[in-house]
Amino acid sequence: KNQVEQSPQSLIILEGKNCTLQCNYTVSPFSNLRWYKQDTGRGPVSLTIMTFSENTKSNGRYTATLDADTKQSSLHITASQLSDSASYICVVRGRPDSWGKLQFGAGTQVVVTP
Amino acid sequence: DAGITQSPRYKITETGRQVTLMCHQTWSHSYMFWYRQDLGHGLRLIYYSAAADITDKGEVPDGYVVSRSKTENFPLTLESATRSQTSVYFCASRTSDDHTIYFGEGSWLTVV
């Protein structure tokens, strides 16, 4: 069973609107959680990284939150733009030495329409 | 330009053929990775390397071989390609400070 579950699987939003993506994980112990953006036909690019002690991290119009107690994270996109159309992937790292065991979510496909 | 580059970007091959996907990084990162990405699945780790001449299996290593004779290169070889290996392959490397993973642009492989 995948230890990182993302929802929704896909969503369509109007340009200028906000949206929130969810990531639930069961990875334990927990080291950090990252959100990546993957444009169609490209490799993923890191947006944010959050450790156990961090609750919120922003990168421009992207804001990630983390609740390590409930093992949930969200990525909020504010005032969406057409360039935000992409897949957003949640990645959880467990033990600090477990580079072979990064857990990837299947991603949420976001489509921003004019 | 500095970064991580993959070649070829697109490849069609026949079942049973040997295929090598190349990966080159200019940052001198110690860690490098090979992932495959299939519809409906998250990125899955094939092999990774902590340094030159040190490699280890990931989640789905069967049918693949890697080598790392130089820090900057990490080729992935499919010894006898099968249709189930049709996928997008991403090479990646990791920084030593904040451990950010940087991905290449991907290699689209179709096995017919």
Side-chain angles (χ1 to χ4, degrees), chain B residues 31-100:
Chain B
Y31 274 87
M32 295 188 74
F33 308 84
W34 272 107
Y35 292 92
R36 61 178 289 173
Q37 187 175 41
D38 304 291
L39 274 175
H41 287 92
L43 285 151
R44 291 182 292 175
L45 182 65
I46 304 170
Y47 270 95
Y48 68 104
S49 170
D53 296 323
I54 301 175
T55 63
D56 207 350
K57 295 178 180 179
E59 181 184 356
V60 288
D62 294 342
Y64 303 95
V65 174
V66 294
S67 62
R68 188 134 179 241
S69 57
K70 293 183 179 180
T71 300
E72 60 267 31
N73 297 323
F74 191 37
L76 175 74
T77 297
L78 289 66
E79 293 188 299
S80 178
T82 64
R83 291 195 178 129
S84 65
Q85 292 178 311
T86 292
S87 187
V88 184
Y89 291 86
F90 287 98
C91 180
S93 67
R94 191 207 83 182
T95 61
S96 57
D97 48 7
D98 68 352
H99 299 173
T100 298

Side-chain angles (χ1 to χ4, degrees), chain A residues 86-106:
Chain A
S87 180
Y88 292 83
I89 302 170
C90 177
V91 185
V92 180
R93 183 180 171 207
R95 291 179 291 112
D97 61 344
S98 60
W99 280 106
K101 298 193 183 302
L102 284 180
Q103 296 293 329
F104 288 79

Side-chain angles (χ1 to χ4, degrees), chain A:
Chain A
K1 185 179 186 302
N2 196 350
Q3 297 185 55
V4 179
E5 300 286 347
Q6 293 188 240
S7 62
Q9 191 172 23
S10 62
L11 66 94
I12 300 173
I13 59 173
L14 288 175
E15 187 178 12
K17 298 296 186 181
N18 304 334
C19 69
T20 300
L21 316 179
Q22 298 292 337
C23 174
N24 296 335
Y25 62 93
T26 58
V27 177
S28 183
F30 168 84
S31 181
N32 62 51
L33 181 150
R34 287 185 186 267
W35 284 94
Y36 280 81
K37 178 187 179 189
Q38 185 175 20
D39 293 317
T40 300
R42 309 292 295 271
V45 175
S46 179
L47 288 176
T48 65
I49 177 173
M50 303 188 71
T51 60
F52 185 89
S53 60
E54 295 176 298
N55 295 323
T56 303
K57 183 75 70 77
S58 291
N59 178 0
R61 294 178 296 100
Y62 299 102
T63 299
T65 65
L66 173 66
D67 185 334
D69 292 332
T70 61
K71 294 184 170 55
Q72 296 180 326
S73 176
S74 66
L75 181 69
H76 186 77
I77 305 175
T78 303
S80 61
Q81 300 177 359
L82 297 178
S83 59
D84 292 330
S85 293
S87 180
Y88 292 83
I89 302 170
C90 177
V91 185
V92 180
R93 183 180 171 207
R95 291 179 291 112
D97 61 344
S98 60
W99 280 106
K101 298 193 183 302
L102 284 180
Q103 296 293 329
F104 288 79
T108 292
Q109 186 69 43
V110 174
V111 175
V112 181
T113 63

